Amino acid sequence: MAILVIAEHDNTALKGATLNTITAAQQIGGDIHLLVAGFNCQPAADAAAKISGVSKILQADNVAYEHQLAENLAKLVLELGRDYSHILAPATTTGKNFMPRVAALLDVAQISDITAVEAADSFQRPIYAGNAIATVKSLDAIKVITVRGTAFEAAEQNGSADISSVDAAEDLAISQFVSEEMAKSDRPELTAAKVIISGGRGMGNGENFAMLEQVADKLGAAVGASRAAVDAGFVPNDMQVGQTGKIVAPELYIAVGISGAIQHLAGMKDSKVIVAINKDEEAPIFSVADYGLVADLFDVMPELQQKL
């Protein structure tokens, strides 16, 4: 049994979710190969070779894969994946884009967002915004799986896998990369941060998020938001935490002025320690909080910033 894992990277460094996906592959068991598809991506391939438990790195270095366009990447994975029993990728924006295409081309059912491995053909995944866990058993010859990174520990990086070049490369020319606008911040990226402080509708407006930013700077934290705050136009949507935003599991999650809608809880309830600050003592957020403070955030946040 051999497993193909698709690495997520920026052609220079691996994204952390790749390490979590390798751990899931290790729990399935078998020979693990890691595909690094990009352009001028030797640094990412070298980093991938150091991941423990990986026996071979497949490096597809071609301009067609520079931005990991879903159409081109899916075709490559299709060609390589027929020889494997499992194909795994992180359940990120990129993984959710190309993996369903791979499953469709292989004519198999995709198993999405797994959070646990029970056997080589059985997996757990959340449904109903995380209120229930489904155990799924697949009878497909090739199992196409996306992995929720926050559910698995990161694999160690003390390996020495061989790197092999993949010559197959094809630009289908049915989509093209136009541009990207990256938010620039000195704070850690939301999905990789060990500490996150998030604001909700209770913040009142976008200017009041400055209170969270001041505390975040003291804690070395990332700043997030609930969907209610994003929909209200307080902050951009790349800050959204929740079922339709980013799934996070930091060491510490501080929820400020967030009521705790089910969709938000689905994106952060695996955090190690949860602190909730809300003036409504009946707010659902307190049901998952390790520490709750019933108070007005406009009184608490300036004082917290001063104490820190």
Side-chain angles (χ1 to χ4, degrees), residues 45 84 120 282:
Y84 294 87
E282 301 297 327

Side-chain angles (χ1 to χ4, degrees), residues 237-282:
N237 60 13
D238 61 352
M239 292 174 60
Q240 183 178 325
V241 172
Q243 184 182 14
T244 54
K246 295 178 179 177
I247 308 294
V248 299
E251 299 291 328
L252 172 63
Y253 188 89
I254 305 173
V256 182
I258 294 175
S259 63
I262 186 173
Q263 291 85 356
H264 186 76
L265 300 184
M268 46 64 73
K269 65 182 180 180
D270 289 332
S271 304
K272 304 299 185 293
V273 177
I274 299 172
V275 176
I277 301 172
N278 199 300
K279 64 182 180 182
D280 178 10
E281 62 184 26
E282 301 297 327

Side-chain angles (χ1 to χ4, degrees), residues 116-127:
V117 175
E118 291 197 348
D121 61 354
S122 300
F123 312 90
Q124 291 184 5
R125 62 179 301 269
I127 58 175

Side-chain angles (χ1 to χ4, degrees), residues 59-144:
Q59 182 182 356
D61 200 319
N62 189 279
V63 69
Y65 308 123
E66 181 175 7
H67 300 289
Q68 295 192 317
L69 294 177
E71 294 82 0
N72 294 345
L73 187 56
K75 183 73 173 357
L76 175 66
V77 175
L78 172 69
E79 293 176 3
L80 297 176
R82 297 186 190 278
D83 297 328
Y84 294 87
S85 60
H86 298 71
I87 302 174
L88 273 64
T92 58
T93 302
T94 301
K96 291 175 181 178
N97 195 6
F98 78 86
M99 284 292 272
R101 300 166 191 266
V102 173
L105 291 168
L106 288 171
D107 195 24
V108 300
Q110 178 178 303
I111 305 173
S112 304
D113 217 21
I114 68 165
T115 55
V117 175
E118 291 197 348
D121 61 354
S122 300
F123 312 90
Q124 291 184 5
R125 62 179 301 269
I127 58 175
Y128 305 130
N131 280 289
I133 302 296
T135 299
V136 180
K137 184 171 183 176
S138 172
L139 301 180
D140 289 322
I142 301 176
K143 295 160 183 62
V144 177

Side-chain angles (χ1 to χ4, degrees), residues 188-196 220-223 248-252:
E189 202 276 323
L190 200 56
T191 56
K194 293 185 178 180
V195 180
I196 296 173
V223 179
V248 299
E251 299 291 328
L252 172 63

Side-chain angles (χ1 to χ4, degrees), residues 4-35:
L4 178 65
V5 177
I6 316 304
E8 187 158 332
H9 59 89
D10 61 2
N11 293 310
T12 301
L14 293 175
K15 300 294 179 68
T18 300
L19 301 177
N20 306 105
T21 304
I22 292 295
T23 297
Q26 290 173 338
Q27 293 180 11
I28 294 172
D31 201 23
I32 300 173
H33 296 175
L34 184 62
L35 171 63

